[in-house]
Amino acid sequence: MTNQSIVLLVVFLAVLLVLAYPLGTYMAKVGEDAPIRGLGWLRSFEHWLYRLAGKDANATMNWKTYAIALLAFNTLGALFVYGVQRLQLWLPLNPQGMANVSTDSSFNTAVAFVTNTNWQGYAGEATMSYFTQMVALAGQNFFSAATGIAVVFALIRGFTLRSSKSIGNFWVDMTRSTLYVLLPLSLVFAVFLVGQGVIQNFSPSKTVALIDQVSYQMPQNGPDGQPLKDAAGAPVTKDAVATTQTLSMGPVASQEAIKMLGTNGGGFFNANSAHPYENPTALANFFQMIAIFLIPAGLCFAFGRMVGDMRQGWAVLAAMTIVFVIAAGTIMWSEQQVMPALHALGVDQSHSLLQAGGNMEGKETRFGISASSLFAAITTAASCGAVNAMHDSLMPLGGMTAMVLMQFGEVIFGGVGSGLYGMLIFAILAVFIAGLMIGRTPEYLGKKIQAYDMKMTSIAILVTPALVLIGTAIAVMCDAGKAGILNPGAHGFSEILYAFTSAANNNGSAFAGLSANTPFYNVILSIAMWFGRFAMIVPILAVAGSLASKKRLEVTAGTLPTHGPLFVTLLIGTVVMLGVLNYVPALALGPVIEHLQLFAPHLSIN
């Protein structure tokens, strides 16, 4: 790693800590339904919303009722997003006259945004109207993030409540998370982004004259709208000359803010955060990275305050940070190595201060290798999926590390809410393993971990690896799955493995070399996204209900401390061990082979 990379990583973590700690204190009050000084007017508005919806804010729910409300709300959200896409031609705020989105793409996008995955098989500026972007997609950016916060609040209550059948009220948790956390932060961040140059308007696209004519190759599409390929599989193109350029406009800053803060990741433009209208400056880029981790880090401190022991929050945050630093360092180091294929061609990338040598392929030249590599680590450690560089162009070890961060279960900071509740499930597994080692009934935060809890924990942990590996196996066996591969061999396998890893873990980023906007991938990835989200949430709520019904035990000499270095090490080991056991064989077929082919071409790999 270069000194530039080290300084950037240290500054990033320092700023994150300074901002996340007070936010955690604030979010603890939100989760505990406590009055917040200066926001009495907002509380009045909150109760007005309950009356308008006919909901009793004081009603409580057991875990089954909570889960049913959550599933019903998100199912209706998916239907709404699907319907808006299918009707957008006739809806307002469509100055470009965007056509209705196809059935399979609408289905995929609806599931993606409701599950906080935000997988995009389309180019936003060429497919979605302003109404669709703002009302359907940005709206779900808020609701999916609020769903994650609601679930983690319910799980925390499972630890704090004693002999209770209730884990809270889903409607209250959703409303408070949106009103008190997501909306205010998004408003402030959107204003900041506008100040940095992110556009926010409702203007039609603008056509401007180019200074020079530009010759280029125009891809040719067939009658079905898919790119044509020749006998060798290469795209069919024709010569063209550009004298003008069309610049897309739109309400970008408002969507960009919640895209990052809600760890959603769906870009207004196809280039996502590599587009200058979404990410115009180095300062904007830095605070977009901060925004991705801000709420997940703050929730660790909120967890400590809500359970009455800040050391518990620090322990979870420490485990996340240690793994993240190692992973980020690995990606930065990997991308700063000389690309052998380019070096053999005499291409020198070592003279720019920002590039600092190494692999600049697919990187944004405004940010360079260090900021692009750190962004890649952050967006895959969180369930965000926003990108400011093309992950398909990462070095094999860099791409593998980004993939592994998702395969850990999106718990290394992870998504809004989902990162913490995923890590707490791993913590339950860790204390269970420790209990087996010393022959004691495992306990975590004063609650016994028993057979039912472990069954639900096992389901929550194993559902995503099953979706990833089964989905990848189906894709590589089917002609429809293999047809989307643009790169042969190990890298093509990595593209498919990355896609299912991203979908099932609700990340949304892609290697970008896979043509996934087909009926096959739109449907199969939707299945992975839906069950990767809700087949994990339901058993977690079951664990919350089970824990809430138990008495809280007193700490004794035989109780395993869950706030010191020993527990942090145990927690990290549990997360890493499961990731290794589940995915190493698949990784060996993709990025590991690709690395050996790139750096040791003399080896024979059959």
Side-chain angles (χ1 to χ4, degrees):
M1 287 178 64
T2 64
N3 291 335
Q4 181 192 59
S5 297
I6 295 171
V7 170
L8 178 61
L9 181 57
V10 170
V11 171
F12 169 78
L13 292 174
V15 173
L16 177 66
L17 180 62
V18 169
L19 296 177
Y21 188 87
L23 179 62
T25 302
Y26 173 79
M27 286 194 292
K29 294 181 179 179
V30 174
E32 293 171 338
D33 199 12
I36 301 175
R37 183 179 300 176
L39 294 180
W41 61 273
L42 191 56
R43 191 170 184 84
S44 299
F45 179 69
E46 174 192 353
H47 286 284
W48 177 81
L49 289 176
Y50 299 142
R51 290 194 298 273
L52 182 66
K55 295 296 180 181
D56 182 4
N58 297 316
T60 59
M61 297 179 174
N62 60 33
W63 78 264
K64 293 179 182 178
T65 307
Y66 199 102
I68 291 171
L70 183 149
L71 291 173
F73 177 79
N74 284 277
T75 300
L76 289 174
L79 293 174
F80 175 77
V81 176
Y82 176 83
V84 169
Q85 293 174 87
R86 297 291 291 144
L87 300 172
Q88 74 171 5
L89 176 62
W90 304 294
L91 295 174
L93 294 177
N94 187 7
Q96 286 87 354
M98 298 291 186
N100 297 331
V101 184
S102 66
T103 303
D104 57 295
S105 182
S106 295
F107 173 65
N108 181 272
T109 303
V111 172
F113 277 76
V114 166
T115 58
N116 202 243
T117 311
N118 298 61
W119 175 272
Q120 294 177 288
Y122 59 87
E125 66 269 43
T127 307
M128 301 297 181
S129 69
Y130 297 164
F131 186 89
T132 303
Q133 293 269 24
M134 287 191 67
V135 177
L137 305 188
Q140 282 303 319
N141 283 350
F142 282 96
F143 296 142
S144 63
T147 297
I149 297 175
V151 174
V152 80
F153 282 162
L155 181 57
I156 294 173
R157 291 190 196 106
F159 292 113
T160 59
L161 296 174
R162 304 184 183 190
S163 303
S164 173
K165 294 183 179 180
S166 169
I167 58 171
N169 184 314
F170 172 73
W171 307 114
V172 172
D173 289 339
M174 278 286 300
T175 303
R176 289 181 65 82
S177 298
T178 304
L179 278 182
Y180 291 88
V181 179
L182 297 173
L183 277 173
L185 287 177
S186 296
L187 178 60
V188 172
F189 193 42
V191 172
F192 166 79
L193 291 175
V194 169
Q196 289 295 301
V198 179
I199 64 173
Q200 180 73 18
N201 59 50
F202 295 100
S203 302
S205 299
K206 298 183 182 300
T207 301
V208 298
L210 296 177
I211 297 176
D212 296 311
Q213 294 186 357
V214 179
S215 299
Y216 66 102
Q217 295 291 311
M218 177 181 290
Q220 299 298 289
N221 294 331
D224 59 353
Q226 298 299 315
L228 293 175
K229 297 180 182 179
D230 59 22
V236 176
T237 62
K238 70 175 182 180
D239 293 333
V241 177
T243 58
T244 62
Q245 180 180 7
T246 300
L247 300 179
S248 298
M249 299 285 106
V252 179
S254 56
Q255 182 159 320
E256 189 74 10
I258 187 59
K259 157 191 162 181
M260 296 302 188
L261 288 164
T263 61
N264 296 285
F268 193 97
F269 299 104
N270 190 42
N272 208 279
S273 288
H275 197 291
Y277 285 174
E278 285 198 34
N279 194 8
T281 67
L283 185 62
N285 185 69
F286 180 82
F287 278 100
Q288 285 189 17
M289 293 190 291
I290 290 289
I292 295 172
F293 271 9
L294 182 60
I295 297 178
L299 281 170
C300 293
F301 296 118
F303 165 64
R305 291 193 176 278
M306 292 176 71
V307 299
D309 186 354
M310 281 299 296
R311 296 175 300 176
Q312 304 295 336
W314 279 108
V316 172
L317 184 65
M320 292 178 175
T321 303
I322 291 170
V323 177
F324 170 72
V325 168
I326 294 171
T330 301
I331 296 178
M332 286 177 165
W333 172 83
S334 175
E335 296 309 300
Q336 286 159 0
Q337 305 305 303
V338 173
M339 166 63 79
L342 294 178
H343 181 69
L345 297 174
V347 177
D348 186 1
Q349 299 183 334
S350 63
H351 295 307
S352 167
L353 176 63
L354 279 179
Q355 294 176 10
N359 176 35
M360 270 299 294
E361 181 189 351
K363 308 284 191 307
E364 171 57 70
T365 55
R366 293 174 299 144
F367 306 132
I369 290 176
S370 295
S372 298
S373 300
L374 181 58
F375 201 112
I378 291 168
T379 198
T380 50
S383 70
C384 185
V387 294
N388 74 350
M390 295 301 101
H391 291 190
D392 191 49
S393 296
L394 293 173
M395 299 284 270
L397 291 184
M400 184 180 73
T401 304
M403 208 183 306
V404 167
L405 280 169
M406 294 184 287
Q407 291 170 348
F408 283 155
E410 295 283 21
V411 297
I412 310 306
F413 289 92
V416 168
S418 63
L420 180 56
Y421 66 62
M423 186 60 95
L424 292 179
I425 289 297
F426 273 106
I428 290 173
L429 178 60
V431 297
F432 179 77
I433 294 172
L436 292 179
M437 290 179 178
I438 61 176
R440 283 181 55 90
T441 301
E443 302 171 14
Y444 187 48
L445 301 179
K447 298 297 181 79
K448 283 188 177 182
I449 308 302
Q450 297 172 309
Y452 178 82
D453 307 311
M454 287 311 304
K455 289 177 183 177
M456 295 298 104
T457 295
S458 299
I459 293 173
I461 289 176
L462 295 177
V463 65
T464 47
L467 291 168
V468 171
L469 297 175
I470 293 173
T472 301
I474 292 173
V476 297
M477 290 190 298
C478 295
D479 291 338
K482 291 183 286 187
I485 300 175
L486 296 182
N487 297 282
H491 191 80
F493 178 82
S494 294
E495 290 173 355
I496 294 178
L497 179 62
Y498 191 107
F500 282 95
T501 297
S502 176
N505 289 282
N506 303 132
N507 183 272
S509 65
F511 255 20
L514 184 70
S515 296
N517 192 14
T518 64
F520 173 81
Y521 277 112
N522 281 334
V523 172
I524 195 170
L525 290 176
S526 296
I527 294 171
M529 288 185 283
W530 186 266
F531 287 99
R533 176 73 161 180
F534 298 113
M536 182 178 180
I537 282 179
V538 172
I540 287 174
L541 291 176
V543 171
S546 173
L547 296 176
S549 66
K550 298 177 182 179
K551 297 180 180 179
R552 193 164 187 176
L553 306 175
E554 297 296 329
V555 176
T556 66
T559 302
L560 172 69
T562 55
H563 52 72
L566 177 62
F567 178 73
V568 171
T569 303
L570 179 63
L571 181 55
I572 293 173
T574 303
V575 172
V576 173
M577 178 183 67
L578 281 175
V580 168
L581 292 177
N582 286 324
Y583 293 106
V584 157
L587 292 171
L589 295 174
V592 173
I593 289 180
E594 186 183 357
H595 175 81
L596 294 175
Q597 291 174 331
L598 188 62
F599 287 92
H602 59 282
L603 295 178
S604 176
I605 302 174
N606 297 316

